[in-house]
Amino acid sequence: MNDLSLTAFVITSSVKVFAVFSILLASVALMTLVERRLAGFIQDRLGPNRVGPFGILQPAADGIKNILKEETMPATANRFFFVLAPALAIIPGVITFAVVPFAAPLPTPWGTVDMVVADIPIGILYILALSSLGVYGLFLAGWASNNKYAFLGGLRSASQMISYEVALGLSIVPVLFLAGNVTLTQIVWQQQQLGFWYILPLSLAFILFVISAFAETNRLPFDLPEAESELVTGYHTEYSGMKFSMFFIAEYSHILTASALMATLFLGGWSIPFWSGDHLLWYEGMLISGFTAAGEPIAAQGAWWKTILTFLSFAVKTAFFIGVFMWVRWTLPRFRYDQVMHLGWKVMLPVSLVYVMLLAGTILVLDQVGVEGFLFGAILTAVSGACTLIFVFVVDSDRLITGSAVSGTSREVRSPVRQVRRPALEPRTGAGVGQ
Amino acid sequence: MAATVKVMRRPDPGKTSYIRATLKGMALTFKHMVNPDKVTLQYPEEQPDLSPRWRGTHRMEVHADGRPKCVACGLCPTVCPANCIRLVGGEDDQGNRYPIVYEIDEFRCIFCGMCQEVCPVEAIHVGVHFENAEYTRERFVYDLDRLMEQDHPTTLLWDPSDPRSE
């Protein structure tokens, strides 16, 4: 996949690992600040703006505070798992980012360097496998704390993760139909070649993916595992200091990875819209920018400015989705537990299944007929657009999420406790009663 | 006057939509997000507008020669509902009464302002002031010297002929 010597490969990979890890953690720190400031703005406040210009040093102050704080250990907690849980939460959150390509390949004097930590051929499967491992951290934290609220939080995170993992996987399937590959660099390439970002031909898959990603990252309106109003703070109730911070870092790095995934799968990753100069892919040992009509690959060269521009493009797209995550958090109230399960199993799963079938059929027909290029994308856009309209205007009318009062009007609410008619009290006749 | 009750109608079950309602809500929060009119008061730099009738930390009025105006009549400790004023009165050679000890425990004080209202010589006042944090509890018992040193504006008493201070 590249033309580097072994030494150069080891060195560039180490540099990339270090850089991506640092940037990831720095962005996570920044996101905690952005979240709080955005919350402030939405509530007509200003948010933390005291530490440094615009409060930019607030995350550093928080970090110092959390390191200096006392680490508490509940007397009845399982010490081993209690300490292990934050690590288990943070590791998958951080390493899932490894397969996300964040810029066009960078030419260096030693060869062209891919701007992705590990361009492994099982990209999406790797992400699905690791992002669901994050729930072990939350569940172990809840269990090891030996606290009823933490335990309930852990249980909820596990059941929520299971419920939405299915819909998440199914919503990625249409992307794989179009890309024909699970490598993320290939998915970016295919979107460039098609000329359509997958958000258009796969609009409903995008919506389903966003909803599932919200549930997977335990963000509002799906933050039941740490529902403050019911469970204190859920699975991390008993944690303090840096261990608590690690859960936070894990949550935010999950958000970051989910946003990067949305950008990569549906918004063309690092590709810049309406510009074909950034089409770059490794094809049989050479960097190409496309194919001629005869199917011959066209050799291409990267450039450092292309790398920077594409990285900016990727950063903007990712930041947009992070913003949406936060925007939604400060808009929506939390679901009830039964609503979460209802949405997961009775809406998301059947809808995504039907959509996958429908799209598979459409693509099969289009392939048989021999439609390609722009028309292919346009027809898929129309089909998916129709599905999205049906989803928004037909499926989502009183079925997606309803208040108990509204659904109560359609069927009679029966009390589980049978009314027992009590014998009327006999009027007491005695001193002091009745004048 | 009869209470007016606004009946909120539940939306028609066939016409509710979570996604559309979500988008509507997000439009609303976005409007607030870009709204430049924030309610935050940048406190130490910006000071809040206190009402002229704000009742805060006490101060004792002083004569031109530096003596307290208090004549130790004993009305304020008598009227004080929180019993936070300690007054020991004395009398000088000319027969003028003056306070030997005059202490107000600002912790016990409920800032009702009755001491100011009852004072016949307008000596003790509550003031338009609230920044009275201290490092020790003892410092919250203000003695006579401390009360005389306070220089914040005094509270405007409620005037029955001008009930809204206009």
Side-chain angles (χ1 to χ4, degrees):
Chain A
M1 297 291 273
N2 55 57
D3 52 4
L4 298 169
S5 69
L6 184 63
T7 326
F9 176 75
V10 170
I11 291 172
T12 53
S13 291
S14 315
V15 170
K16 275 190 291 186
V17 168
F18 184 73
V20 167
F21 184 70
S22 324
I23 291 175
L24 192 75
L25 286 193
S27 325
V28 164
L30 212 61
M31 275 161 70
T32 58
L33 173 69
V34 170
E35 167 105 63
R36 292 171 64 187
R37 295 225 63 185
L38 208 70
F41 282 130
I42 284 177
Q43 294 162 3
D44 284 343
R45 299 181 286 116
L46 289 177
N49 62 349
R50 290 280 154 173
V51 194
F54 305 105
I56 205 123
L57 295 178
Q58 182 72 41
D62 288 343
I64 291 170
K65 183 189 83 173
N66 271 330
I67 288 174
L68 294 179
K69 269 193 164 186
E70 184 191 0
E71 295 275 0
T72 53
M73 170 78 76
T76 52
N78 182 321
R79 296 182 73 92
F80 179 70
F81 289 121
F82 190 79
V83 175
L84 184 69
L88 275 186
I90 199 171
I91 290 171
V94 173
I95 62 177
T96 28
F97 203 82
V99 294
V100 179
F102 48 86
L106 175 72
T108 61
W110 309 278
T112 309
V113 181
D114 285 335
M115 284 292 111
V116 48
V117 172
D119 192 15
I120 53 176
I122 53 163
I124 285 181
L125 303 180
Y126 170 86
I127 287 174
L128 285 181
L130 276 176
S131 65
S132 14
L133 276 185
V135 74
Y136 276 101
L138 314 192
F139 189 69
L140 267 183
W143 181 77
S145 299
N146 207 352
N147 169 319
K148 60 191 169 201
Y149 297 118
F151 186 56
L152 279 173
L155 279 180
R156 285 181 176 190
S157 70
S159 58
Q160 187 173 309
M161 195 70 82
I162 290 168
S163 307
Y164 284 84
E165 193 76 22
V166 190
L168 186 82
L170 280 172
S171 66
I172 291 179
V173 169
V175 175
L176 306 185
F177 283 162
L178 289 196
N181 204 314
V182 289
T183 320
L184 287 165
T185 45
Q186 285 276 352
I187 290 171
V188 172
W189 164 257
Q190 294 288 350
Q191 293 185 63
Q192 291 171 340
Q193 290 299 299
L194 188 63
F196 274 90
W197 287 350
Y198 285 168
I199 188 172
L200 287 176
L202 303 174
S203 45
L204 186 55
F206 173 70
I207 292 174
L208 295 174
F209 184 83
V210 169
I211 296 174
S212 310
F214 272 85
E216 289 280 302
T217 49
N218 297 326
R219 290 287 291 188
L220 269 164
F222 297 99
D223 74 332
L224 285 116
E226 45 179 283
E228 294 89 350
S229 48
E230 305 148 37
L231 303 180
V232 193
T233 51
Y235 59 88
H236 58 63
T237 302
E238 295 286 1
Y239 285 86
S240 69
M242 208 53 209
K243 291 204 202 78
F244 164 76
S245 243
M246 280 162 83
F247 281 116
F248 243 74
I249 296 171
E251 182 183 329
Y252 280 95
S253 52
H254 268 125
I255 295 168
L256 190 66
T257 313
S259 305
L261 263 185
M262 288 178 202
T264 307
L265 296 180
F266 295 99
L267 279 193
W270 44 259
S271 71
I272 299 170
F274 310 115
W275 186 50
S276 57
D278 60 343
H279 293 192
L280 287 171
L281 181 78
W282 289 103
Y283 179 76
E284 291 178 354
M286 61 190 279
L287 209 55
I288 60 166
S289 70
F291 295 94
T292 58
E296 287 295 308
I298 306 164
Q301 266 301 316
W304 62 268
W305 53 272
K306 278 184 190 174
T307 303
I308 290 175
L309 278 183
T310 48
F311 177 72
L312 285 180
S313 163
F314 177 79
V316 167
K317 288 170 191 173
T318 308
F320 170 75
F321 283 116
I322 292 172
V324 170
F325 264 99
M326 293 172 180
W327 185 8
V328 167
R329 170 170 182 189
W330 298 106
T331 302
L332 294 179
R334 185 182 305 125
F335 285 145
R336 253 186 358 242
Y337 187 70
D338 63 306
Q339 289 174 328
V340 170
M341 288 298 125
H342 174 269
L343 181 67
W345 291 108
K346 289 161 91 177
V347 178
M348 300 283 289
L349 182 60
V351 165
S352 49
L353 266 176
V354 169
Y355 181 65
V356 165
M357 300 287 281
L358 194 70
L359 221 59
T362 315
I363 292 172
L364 184 68
V365 169
L366 289 178
D367 278 353
Q368 293 294 324
V369 176
V371 179
E372 271 186 358
F374 180 80
L375 192 62
F376 180 80
I379 292 175
L380 276 182
T381 305
V383 171
S384 289
C387 291
T388 306
L389 287 181
I390 291 173
F391 182 69
V392 173
F393 285 97
V394 181
V395 177
D396 177 26
S397 66
D398 190 35
R399 290 190 194 85
L400 215 61
I401 296 294
T402 50
S404 50
V406 174
S407 54
T409 53
S410 55
R411 66 191 145 78
E412 196 184 339
V413 181
R414 216 171 281 158
S415 167
V417 182
R418 179 171 289 177
Q419 293 281 318
V420 182
R421 177 163 293 187
R422 290 218 193 99
L425 288 173
E426 288 177 25
R428 296 245 299 266
T429 50
V433 179
Q435 299 296 321
Chain B
M1 201 176 81
T4 51
V5 177
K6 187 179 180 188
V7 178
M8 299 297 289
R9 276 181 190 264
R10 287 271 174 195
D12 191 19
K15 286 178 183 160
T16 56
S17 160
Y18 189 78
I19 290 180
R20 278 175 280 154
T22 300
L23 294 179
K24 222 184 280 177
M26 284 172 79
L28 182 75
T29 43
F30 187 77
K31 223 182 286 167
H32 279 275
M33 187 162 67
V34 295
N35 172 19
D37 196 17
K38 302 298 183 197
V39 296
T40 305
L41 182 84
Q42 299 278 342
Y43 162 60
E45 295 90 23
E46 290 174 42
Q47 288 289 337
D49 264 344
L50 296 180
S51 156
R53 272 163 50 195
W54 171 280
R55 300 190 300 265
T57 325
H58 299 82
R59 56 173 292 190
M60 172 70 78
E61 291 288 327
V62 185
H63 283 301
D65 58 358
R67 287 181 299 116
K69 281 189 177 174
C70 177
V71 293
C73 64
L75 277 177
C76 49
T78 310
V79 77
C80 181
N83 205 8
C84 67
I85 304 176
R86 192 164 87 88
L87 169 65
V88 177
E91 204 173 309
D92 66 6
D93 306 340
Q94 285 90 41
N96 298 326
R97 288 180 60 82
Y98 68 97
I100 299 172
V101 177
Y102 192 97
E103 283 177 357
I104 297 184
D105 187 343
E106 300 285 344
F107 263 157
R108 297 199 63 165
C109 177
I110 59 169
F111 299 101
C112 60
M114 283 199 202
C115 47
Q116 178 178 356
E117 278 185 51
V118 81
C119 185
V121 291
E122 297 189 356
I124 189 70
H125 286 85
V126 276
V128 185
H129 181 251
F130 64 95
E131 290 162 313
N132 45 14
E134 295 288 353
Y135 284 103
T136 58
R137 299 181 66 84
E138 291 74 36
R139 291 274 297 158
F140 279 94
V141 180
Y142 286 19
D143 59 13
L144 186 59
D145 291 337
R146 182 110 178 262
L147 286 166
M148 284 157 61
E149 278 165 20
Q150 306 282 340
D151 53 0
H152 49 259
T154 54
T155 302
L156 188 73
L157 276 183
W158 181 66
D159 181 359
S161 64
D162 178 20
R164 295 188 172 193
S165 309
E166 281 159 349

